[in-house]
Amino acid sequence: MKIIKNSIVLFVAVAMMFHGLAVMAQDSIDNLLKNSVFSVLNDKGNPEGWSASVPGFSIDTAVKPEGCEQSLKVAVAKDGKFLGDVTQMVKVKPQTNYTFSCLVKASPGVGVLMVKLLDAKGGEIKRISSPANAGAEWETLKTSFSTENSDTILVMLRYTQTAWQTLWFASPKLVEENKIKEN
């Protein structure tokens, strides 16, 4: 009897492990962003696959949200007139709904997400922004949008450029929304 109970416990544990791996694999398949865990910085110090308006990035394994191995730390060196950003260009489907989200830790009102819909020549058609972060702890910012006629977008992790300000981004995601079938 004890062998059967142990076998059942082992079977359940293995099944839960495979379910967890399947969920993680599905999550990474659904996310359209490259290097969304910021695991690699390029020779310019920017996250691989991302572009940045100013330098000052590092991988932070100490300040990170629960469930994440690291975050992208942004240390603002000097005041800037415009919002700083870390961006990635993404091919998308026209006339499709997407959600862009990211965990942010910053002083209130410092971090925001933005999406720019681009035309065939790379010109801006429209900007869509999330609300700015409200508190100083980790919070999820997100914005949902339709691509309209655009097949390319620019996702942007944005922040105010105030000298000596530090903020963190983790787990950015761009996912296509499930389409509701009409009867």
Side-chain angles (χ1 to χ4, degrees):
M1 187 70 159
K2 188 173 183 178
I3 293 173
I4 293 172
K5 284 183 183 177
N6 288 343
S7 295
I8 291 171
V9 169
L10 180 62
F11 174 77
V12 170
V14 169
M16 289 174 62
M17 180 183 76
F18 279 114
H19 174 72
L21 291 174
V23 168
M24 286 181 358
Q26 183 65 37
D27 186 49
S28 63
I29 290 170
D30 290 344
N31 191 354
L32 300 173
L33 298 177
K34 298 174 191 159
N35 193 21
S36 63
V37 294
F38 305 120
S39 59
V40 179
L41 295 180
N42 63 23
D43 58 348
K44 294 181 181 176
N46 296 329
E48 189 70 42
W50 296 80
S51 298
S53 56
V54 294
F57 304 97
S58 61
I59 305 266
D60 194 331
T61 57
V63 179
K64 60 187 179 185
E66 188 174 326
C68 292
E69 292 183 26
Q70 70 245 347
S71 63
L72 180 68
K73 180 180 178 181
V74 179
V76 181
K78 62 181 184 174
D79 289 341
K81 195 174 187 180
F82 303 102
L83 292 176
D85 57 47
V86 183
T87 65
Q88 188 174 125
M89 193 93 61
V90 183
K91 285 295 213 182
V92 292
K93 298 175 190 172
Q95 305 300 329
T96 304
N97 295 324
Y98 290 86
T99 297
F100 176 39
S101 63
C102 187
L103 289 161
V104 177
K105 179 178 171 73
S107 296
V110 171
V112 68
L113 303 182
M114 185 179 287
V115 175
K116 287 186 182 181
L117 304 182
L118 305 175
D119 63 23
K121 295 180 181 179
E124 181 180 329
I125 297 171
K126 182 178 186 179
R127 289 180 189 205
I128 302 109
S129 294
S130 73
N133 67 304
E137 296 304 315
W138 285 106
E139 66 184 275
T140 301
L141 299 183
K142 75 177 172 179
T143 185
S144 296
F145 60 97
S146 170
T147 54
E148 300 176 10
N149 293 323
S150 181
D151 68 352
T152 305
I153 62 171
L154 186 66
V155 295
M156 307 175 80
L157 309 173
R158 303 209 72 184
Y159 53 92
T160 57
Q161 293 190 77
T162 304
W164 311 113
Q165 180 74 44
T166 303
L167 67 150
W168 295 263
F169 294 103
S171 298
K173 284 185 182 179
L174 176 66
V175 295
E176 181 179 339
E177 293 298 315
N178 294 332
K179 297 178 184 174
I180 299 172
K181 295 182 181 180
E182 294 180 21
N183 294 333

